[in-house]
Amino acid sequence: MILSVNSKCPCGSGIKYKKCCKPYHDGKTANNALILMKSRYSAYAKQQYKYINNTSNKEEDIESIKNFSNNSKFENLKIIEFIDGENKAFVTFKATIFSNGIDSSFCEKSRFIKANNKWLYLDGEII
Ligand SMILES: [Zn+2]
């Protein structure tokens, strides 16, 4: 479901999508891994597949992301911990997601790296 730009941002900031994560989806650079993580979560909710791929260290499987995104409701994102670093950072979060009506919420510790002055998602560990 694509929500209006005037609705609240899926990342849980409480502000409008157009003033929160949308600028990143439109090309703005995320200055730290926390912003990147939130905007990637929003990208799943807003079906911004290109952004998910462009902010990942590896080639993402767009078809499986599409499938997941189209069949899921992104209810909430809670940041548990953010460990910043020079070229490496960690974000631990809880994503509340319902896929095909089934609670598929999870906690993940994501790893990010900075390459060519750009933060990228490296991988994640379900915790
Ligand atoms: Zn946002």
Side-chain angles (χ1 to χ4, degrees), residues 9-13 15-17 19-22 38-39 42:
C9 193
C11 79
S13 61
I15 60 174
K16 288 177 180 177
Y17 170 58
K19 291 194 171 174
C20 186
C21 291
K22 189 176 188 294
K38 288 180 169 183
S39 60
S42 292

Side-chain angles (χ1 to χ4, degrees), residues 42-108:
S42 292
Y44 275 90
K46 295 285 187 183
Q47 297 163 327
Q48 300 288 319
Y49 311 118
K50 229 176 163 174
Y51 185 77
I52 295 166
N53 197 47
N54 290 344
T55 55
S56 174
N57 189 49
K58 66 174 193 315
E59 196 65 38
E60 295 281 355
D61 179 354
I62 298 295
E63 280 313 306
S64 78
I65 290 172
K66 264 187 191 171
N67 191 40
F68 170 66
S69 179
N70 285 331
N71 293 304
S72 301
K73 227 176 135 214
F74 298 81
E75 293 269 327
N76 192 44
L77 175 68
K78 191 180 166 212
I79 303 300
I80 296 164
E81 189 181 42
F82 172 41
I83 304 167
D84 203 3
E86 194 75 21
N87 298 302
K88 207 189 269 179
F90 298 89
V91 180
T92 305
F93 63 90
K94 181 176 186 211
T96 304
I97 296 168
F98 288 84
S99 297
N100 296 312
I102 296 160
D103 188 351
S104 50
S105 303
F106 61 93
C107 285
E108 181 182 310

